[in-house]
Amino acid sequence: MLILTCPYCGVAADETELSAGGEAHVKRETVGADDAAFEQYLFQRENSKGIHFERWRHAAGCGKWFHAARCTNTLEVFGTYSAQTLEPPKNITDAISAARPGWTWRNFS
């Protein structure tokens, strides 16, 4: 079972207490964006096998949204952090790199 620690209230919650919100760090298109950019925002996701950054909501707890870094193959959780963070914290990317040498992913900014 997947267990994530909410970075706000500190509770280690299993997946029945959480709501998944899709991929994290997706740049939202705003007013004035062309159709191609909006289509990219709506439909193009990493959906990778392996390391993945996701949005989660502590639905049965504090109700806040947060991000989690985990491996979709093994359910190994590398860490959770605030949803207001624009890119994963260095300690989490360092933990992923230590566990998966040669790991790379897209630019977060």
Side-chain angles (χ1 to χ4, degrees), residues 36-56:
F38 193 63
E39 176 187 10
Q40 180 77 17
Y41 164 71
L42 285 178
F43 301 113
Q44 301 302 314
R45 297 290 188 259
E46 292 286 328
N47 198 22
S48 59
K49 182 178 180 180
I51 305 301
H52 196 56
F53 294 89
E54 302 168 324
R55 293 176 37 127
W56 288 88

Side-chain angles (χ1 to χ4, degrees), residues 16-79:
T16 62
E17 299 179 45
L18 305 167
S19 296
E23 185 178 349
H25 307 292
V26 175
K27 181 181 181 279
R28 176 173 275 225
E29 294 300 330
T30 59
V31 176
D34 63 2
D35 288 345
F38 193 63
E39 176 187 10
Q40 180 77 17
Y41 164 71
L42 285 178
F43 301 113
Q44 301 302 314
R45 297 290 188 259
E46 292 286 328
N47 198 22
S48 59
K49 182 178 180 180
I51 305 301
H52 196 56
F53 294 89
E54 302 168 324
R55 293 176 37 127
W56 288 88
R57 181 174 175 262
H58 193 186
C62 66
K64 294 187 178 181
W65 285 95
F66 63 92
H67 291 167
R70 71 180 187 97
C71 178
T72 59
N73 291 336
T74 64
L75 296 183
E76 179 181 5
V77 177
F78 294 100

Side-chain angles (χ1 to χ4, degrees), residues 90-106:
K90 184 167 176 18
N91 65 325
I92 291 177
T93 57
D94 288 347
I96 295 169
S97 295
R100 307 288 195 285
W103 170 80
T104 60
W105 202 53
R106 65 184 167 108

